[in-house]
Amino acid sequence: MKLATLKNGGRDGTLVVVSKDLQSAVLANNIAATMQYAMDHWDEVATPLADLYEALNSGKVDNAFAFHPADCHSPLPRAYQWADGSAYVNHVELVRKARGADMPPEFWHDPLMYQGGSDSFVPPTASIDVFNTEWGVDLEGEVAVITGDVPMGSTTEQAASHIRLLMLVNDVTLRNLIPAELAKGFGFFQSKPATAFSPVAITPDELGTHWQDSRVTLPLSVHVRNELFGQPDCGTDMVFNFADLIAHVAKTRELEAGSIVGSGTISNVDRSSGSACIVEKRMLETIETGKPVTPYLQAGDTIRIEMFDEDGHSLFGAIEQVVRVIPRP
């Protein structure tokens, strides 16, 4: 099934069920008022929500209305946990190589994770607001899962059973703020502003055969400045699958229902597929020519992140954002 959150209804919005073709929706408030409520009570509400989804797709819902991504917040406007990984180790290796840093061999068998800010996400069509584009504004096209309750110490096999929904991600990064932060030895913070997620979250069964071994096996379409920037395949070169990432987070803590775990930037060893972030292209340019050519995002630049099924239908709707320089308060 497909679920979304409308902006109205307070900070946590209003849950709706969305049709398979993303053309219509129906309120789900008689089942679950918010996405977080649905996550907290998944065993009770999953079947009624699926029944409503089937009725909507069959044209048997009287109170359906047109679905518009611009009316949506991120599926979870805020979450108890947002942990982002680097499952595509090729991406990590490229970035480190370009700045002259060796990659420790353990990165191939022990996932990298950082804990992002989750108190406030931004809607999928909201602007990317910054005070200064000299901070090096970049996008990161990713996939993420929303989990149910995950007990501490869960194995990879156990973790897989707790995956509830999938979303697309734009994990905005301010590249020029990263070096000073990492030099402190304490990880990202200021360099990782608010994240945006796709208008729609979907259950894994919506992917059919393209959900395999806790991986999505479809390309992610990324446009930058209205031009195709990359279509890397999400299943190729994903060293750690989502179950691996969840189990890694759960090694020393439990995850509460509604926790979000991201894949990290989608990246393929085969460079013909392009990139899902600007820094990767800049790193390849640096490796090949000695200096980067492609600029980071500037005021007025646009990005679009989307995924299509084999018939060319959008699965999650698109993340569409424009960079906006705003005055300080």
Side-chain angles (χ1 to χ4, degrees):
M1 69 181 135
K2 300 191 177 187
L3 303 172
T5 295
L6 300 183
K7 295 174 185 175
N8 61 295
R11 289 189 177 186
D12 296 310
T14 300
L15 184 66
V16 294
V17 173
V18 182
S19 63
K20 192 175 187 68
D21 61 6
L22 306 183
Q23 296 302 302
S24 60
V26 61
L27 292 173
N29 53 346
N30 61 328
I31 302 172
T34 66
M35 182 71 81
Q36 184 59 54
Y37 183 94
M39 293 300 99
D40 287 336
H41 303 85
W42 189 253
D43 290 342
E44 303 165 25
V45 305
T47 297
L49 287 172
D51 291 342
L52 184 59
Y53 178 63
E54 182 178 353
L56 178 63
N57 288 321
S58 301
K60 298 177 180 178
V61 174
D62 294 331
N63 55 342
F65 52 89
F67 177 70
H68 300 294
D71 297 333
C72 293
H73 210 304
S74 285
L76 276 170
R78 53 183 175 172
Y80 291 114
Q81 176 83 261
W82 162 223
D84 199 17
S86 284
Y88 299 85
V89 183
N90 170 69
H91 170 75
V92 181
E93 188 172 40
L94 280 173
V95 173
R96 292 180 67 90
K97 183 176 181 180
R99 67 172 187 253
D102 293 329
M103 192 175 76
E106 60 266 25
F107 282 18
W108 289 98
H109 56 80
D110 190 25
L112 284 172
M113 302 286 292
Y114 87 91
Q115 192 170 38
S118 62
D119 56 321
S120 177
F121 300 128
V122 297
T125 60
S127 56
I128 300 171
D129 291 344
V130 294
F131 294 137
N132 189 346
T133 56
E134 292 300 312
W135 289 343
V137 186
D138 198 1
L139 76 159
E140 289 191 29
E142 309 182 15
V143 178
V145 297
I146 304 176
T147 76
D149 290 316
V150 182
M152 185 172 73
S154 292
T155 65
T156 297
E157 293 73 19
Q158 291 167 336
S161 69
H162 299 297
I163 295 172
R164 299 288 180 255
L165 298 167
L166 295 103
M167 306 180 290
L168 304 184
V169 187
N170 180 19
D171 182 38
V172 178
T173 302
L174 304 177
R175 298 293 178 187
N176 294 337
L177 298 185
I178 288 179
E181 287 204 298
L182 293 186
K184 297 176 182 179
F186 216 53
F188 304 119
F189 198 88
Q190 291 179 335
S191 53
K192 289 289 189 178
T195 304
F197 295 90
S198 52
V200 173
I202 70 174
T203 48
D205 61 286
E206 289 290 325
L207 295 172
T209 59
H210 292 290
W211 177 248
Q212 298 178 10
D213 190 30
S214 297
R215 290 177 174 86
V216 178
T217 60
L218 284 168
L220 185 71
S221 175
V222 178
H223 283 76
V224 175
R225 305 180 184 101
N226 298 314
E227 294 185 358
L228 182 64
F229 197 77
Q231 289 182 305
D233 184 83
C234 298
T236 304
D237 304 315
M238 189 182 194
V239 176
F240 306 104
N241 66 22
F242 281 109
D244 294 326
L245 297 175
I246 295 168
H248 181 82
V249 177
K251 180 177 180 177
T252 59
R253 70 182 74 183
E254 64 181 18
L255 281 75
E256 300 301 313
S259 292
I260 303 172
V261 177
S263 65
T265 306
I266 312 300
S267 178
N268 291 167
V269 174
D270 179 1
R271 303 313 313 162
S272 66
S273 61
S275 299
C277 66
I278 293 173
V279 72
E280 187 170 285
K281 188 172 183 180
R282 286 171 60 90
M283 295 306 98
L284 288 166
E285 293 166 346
T286 300
I287 292 166
E288 293 170 4
T289 69
K291 63 178 181 180
V293 176
T294 304
Y296 288 123
L297 297 171
Q298 303 299 313
D301 284 351
T302 59
I303 67 95
R304 183 182 178 98
I305 299 171
E306 197 165 9
M307 183 178 287
F308 302 93
D309 65 17
E310 292 173 327
D311 297 319
H313 301 130
S314 182
L315 286 163
F316 299 85
I319 300 172
E320 293 187 274
Q321 297 182 276
V322 61
V323 177
R324 185 177 67 159
V325 176
I326 61 172
R328 292 181 180 273

